[in-house]
Amino acid sequence: MLVRMLREHIRHFGVALLARRPYDLRNAAVSLWLNSGVPAAEVAEMAGHSVAILMDTYYKCIHGQREQMVQRIIDALSDDREGGASGEVD
């Protein structure tokens, strides 16, 4: 019912279809979260996946981001040396 209403709305107002299926929007959201740096465990919980299934399905989204991850590690270590991080765990 929701899908039908959405399609009618799009036809009426001439808005381009964002996805072929509502499930495509879910895939886009998971990809966005991963590419935004949200930890895989958090994304998996929000998506209702295990981390293993999430990584198996969405690995292609984060493949090739090694330089960004290495820079985050360097930044974190730099903050620790400068006294910026307290070392406390929330």
Side-chain angles (χ1 to χ4, degrees), residues 58-77:
Y58 294 95
Y59 175 74
K60 62 189 172 287
C61 293
I62 60 171
H63 180 70
Q65 295 180 0
R66 180 173 291 208
E67 287 180 26
Q68 292 171 334
M69 292 180 197
V70 168
Q71 188 59 50
R72 286 182 187 165
I73 293 168
I74 291 169
D75 292 347
L77 291 173

Side-chain angles (χ1 to χ4, degrees), residues 16-54:
L17 187 62
L18 297 174
R20 292 184 184 263
R21 307 166 293 166
Y23 193 79
D24 294 338
L25 295 174
R26 180 181 186 276
N27 291 341
V30 170
S31 298
L32 175 68
W33 297 335
L34 287 170
N35 283 312
S36 297
V38 177
E42 293 296 321
V43 174
E45 183 179 335
M46 290 187 291
H49 291 306
S50 68
V51 174
I53 294 295
L54 177 86

